[in-house]
Amino acid sequence: MSTTSRCRICDGTVTEFIDLGRQPLSDAFVVPGDEKKEFFFRLATGICESCTMVQLMEEVPRDLMFHEAYPYHSSGSSVMRTHFQELAKRLLTTELTGEDPFIVELGCNDGIMLKAVAEAGVRQLGVEPSGGVADLAAAKGIRVRKDFFEEATAADIRENDGPADVIYAANTLCHIPYMDSILKGVTTLLRPNGVFVFEDPYLGDIVERTSFDQIYDEHFFFFTARSVQEMARRNGLELVDVERIPVHGGEVRYTLALAGARKPSSAVAELLAWEAERKLAEYATLERFATNVKKIKEDLIALLTKLRAEGKRVVGYGATAKSATVTNFCGITPDLVEFISDTTPAKQGRLSPGQHIPVREYQAFAGDHPDYALLFAWNHADEIMNAEQAFRDAGGQWIRYVPNVHVS
Ligand code: SAM
Ligand code: TMP
Ligand code: ZN
């Protein structure tokens, strides 16, 4: 019998297609000695039979994930800094050109995007519940409200600051199960001809690349043009543009407007047709994805076990949230991966969630190159491989597991 839950968009039946087992919070790096205090939940995803939205079967309370010590700092990647500067520049020259324009960003994190907006002197507000990163954004001169965005927050912002020309969210909307409240908030806050722009990992890329590690506690929804169009429609909004973008392993940037306010671009129909052709919304496609995931697990464990038997040193590169899914689903223990190198101070000296692999500063990797580096931050592969020529020159090899397990 298949497992089901209720859809967070339309209350339809969500049927499970993959179970990644008992998992910890992906960004809860453990202080040594606190191993027994970890929170676990069942990580599984399903597809809604009515609106086709792919989503987690179980929801993790938001305060457990987003709090004062949330360790993810957006500005850790130079590619992402450039990505967001370019987006800011584009918005400043298109949507934010009227009289005293105003932009609100949900999940501004350390201010990676709004910094350029603040520097241009355009009115802005970042809504960011995670206190530590919100402080970093404020230190950059950005106006920040330490809060979860939802309907009541939106009404309050509208009252104090007036309507927004742009509401923007990167890698944040897919983190929020209470979508009804968010979209009500968006329609309250948006100027009649304003836009709601958001970018998140794309189910089309996840299925094509078997990037199953995009599934973790914080990623509640896995959007497609079709499911976003339906979600928008139900809330008085309309999908008017889509753009595939290469960051974070493949994302789509969606633009919504109030229904009827803007004419949808041809890109919307094109992406909808592409999705239909790939049968993205069909259960059988997602079952095939689940089969491919199991193969990656077997191959990766076989490779790591062989390398251990040969006495090779394997170190993880990038203690990503994604790596929690990989290590816990595959059963990668510290005897297979010695430590994980990560440049984020808040992760260093701690243990990876669930499997308790030590996370160490970058120097631990660069100062004593291992035989193999398991690239958990594969979404930053170009940036990392360019920077790590010395590792390669020393005979080091990369292990990757997306779209399949391979050594290069
Ligand atoms: N936008 C940044 C980027 O793309 O790098 C940060 C993405 S980070 C993965 C997700 C952020 O969303 C976190 O900083 C978290 O605190 C924030 N967040 C979670 N729920 C939120 C909500 N309801 N309203 C606003 N921000 C939220
Ligand atoms: P992300 O995949 O969610 O962006 O997380 C990337 C993680 O990898 C983050 O903890 C920072 C870390 N990282 C490095 O350690 N070195 C690097 O060169 C890059 C780009 C990221
Ligand atoms: Zn649904």
Side-chain angles (χ1 to χ4, degrees):
M1 210 189 72
S2 56
T3 307
T4 61
S5 63
R6 303 315 306 169
C7 176
R8 285 300 245 132
I9 303 295
C10 78
D11 204 36
T13 304
V14 178
T15 307
E16 184 171 314
F17 60 84
I18 190 167
D19 180 359
L20 295 162
R22 190 173 167 268
Q23 292 271 351
L25 302 174
S26 62
D27 266 320
F29 290 83
V30 181
V31 175
D34 281 355
E35 290 87 338
K36 296 223 155 41
K37 295 186 193 155
E38 281 190 284
F39 174 93
F40 285 89
F41 72 109
R42 191 175 79 89
L43 181 65
T45 48
I47 180 164
C48 173
E49 287 169 10
S50 307
C51 76
T52 78
M53 183 66 83
V54 169
Q55 56 202 280
L56 294 190
M57 303 299 291
E58 270 186 28
E59 191 176 321
V60 172
R62 65 186 189 181
D63 305 294
L64 292 182
M65 298 185 283
F66 309 117
H67 45 69
E68 195 59 32
Y70 180 64
Y72 182 72
H73 291 191
S74 300
S75 295
S77 154
S78 65
V79 169
M80 292 312 298
R81 288 199 298 274
T82 306
H83 170 79
F84 286 120
Q85 273 159 14
E86 281 171 3
L87 189 264
K89 221 183 293 167
R90 195 203 290 184
L91 290 174
L92 286 167
T93 52
T94 53
E95 301 294 339
L96 296 170
T97 55
E99 197 184 318
D100 191 22
F102 178 43
I103 175 169
V104 176
E105 183 180 7
L106 324 185
C108 70
N109 198 273
D110 60 8
I112 187 167
M113 198 288 285
L114 284 182
K115 181 169 181 285
V117 175
E119 283 167 2
V122 165
R123 213 150 51 88
Q124 84 296 143
L125 179 67
V127 184
E128 175 51 71
S130 297
V133 288
D135 288 340
L136 293 174
K140 291 175 180 145
I142 296 161
R143 250 183 91 218
V144 187
R145 175 175 176 140
K146 279 192 198 177
D147 227 337
F148 285 96
F149 185 89
E150 55 194 346
E151 198 180 350
T153 329
D156 198 44
I157 296 170
R158 166 107 198 195
E159 202 170 299
N160 292 316
D161 296 287
D165 299 271
V166 177
I167 302 176
Y168 176 71
N171 307 298
T172 296
L173 199 69
C174 76
H175 292 54
I176 307 181
Y178 39 100
M179 190 61 79
D180 190 49
S181 169
I182 296 292
L183 295 182
K184 282 198 179 109
V186 165
T187 51
T188 302
L189 182 55
L190 213 53
R191 198 183 283 286
N193 194 34
V195 282
F196 177 32
V197 180
F198 57 95
E199 54 197 68
D200 286 288
Y202 179 47
L203 184 71
D205 288 303
I206 295 173
V207 168
E208 289 234 312
R209 300 174 190 206
T210 320
S211 45
F212 68 101
D213 54 350
Q214 293 281 15
I215 305 172
Y216 53 89
D217 55 348
E218 293 174 23
H219 284 176
F220 188 83
F221 289 118
F222 301 87
F223 298 138
T224 60
R226 177 163 170 198
S227 60
V228 166
Q229 187 180 51
E230 176 63 16
M231 169 178 107
R233 197 190 57 75
R234 298 180 68 87
N235 288 278
L237 293 157
E238 190 173 4
L239 177 62
V240 296
D241 197 22
V242 288
E243 182 187 353
R244 287 186 80 157
I245 51 179
V247 297
H248 287 312
E251 302 203 324
V252 169
R253 181 178 289 151
Y254 304 89
T255 303
L256 308 190
L258 296 178
R262 294 200 184 195
K263 188 172 170 298
S265 74
S266 58
V268 174
E270 283 161 22
L271 192 58
L272 287 168
W274 186 87
E275 290 175 0
E277 190 195 307
R278 302 282 158 135
K279 300 187 170 37
L280 250 195
E282 288 186 18
Y283 190 79
T285 304
L286 300 168
E287 266 185 321
R288 258 197 314 281
F289 163 79
T291 305
N292 295 340
V293 172
K294 287 187 194 110
K295 166 102 174 87
I296 289 181
K297 172 180 179 169
E298 285 162 16
D299 291 352
L300 187 55
I301 285 299
L303 174 64
L304 294 174
T305 308
K306 173 176 142 309
L307 295 176
R308 179 180 59 188
E310 292 170 359
K312 304 290 191 206
R313 285 184 64 221
V314 181
V315 163
Y317 199 111
T320 56
K322 294 183 286 299
S323 70
T325 297
V326 181
T327 53
N328 289 287
F329 176 62
C330 299
I332 299 174
T333 42
D335 60 320
L336 293 174
V337 169
E338 191 179 313
F339 64 88
I340 306 174
S341 156
D342 196 286
T343 50
T344 316
K347 298 183 183 180
Q348 296 160 358
R350 301 209 172 193
L351 306 172
S352 75
Q355 293 296 348
H356 306 148
I357 301 169
V359 180
R360 299 187 58 189
E361 68 292 350
Y362 172 66
Q363 197 44 39
F365 171 84
D368 184 13
H369 283 138
D371 300 303
Y372 293 86
L374 174 53
L375 187 59
F376 287 126
W378 56 264
N379 47 314
H380 302 291
D382 291 346
E383 176 175 357
I384 290 171
M385 296 215 177
N386 284 337
E388 295 299 350
Q389 200 48 50
F391 167 60
R392 179 80 82 203
D393 292 345
Q397 297 196 72
W398 294 99
I399 301 173
R400 297 172 71 174
Y401 51 84
V402 168
N404 50 40
V405 176
H406 58 286
V407 176
S408 59

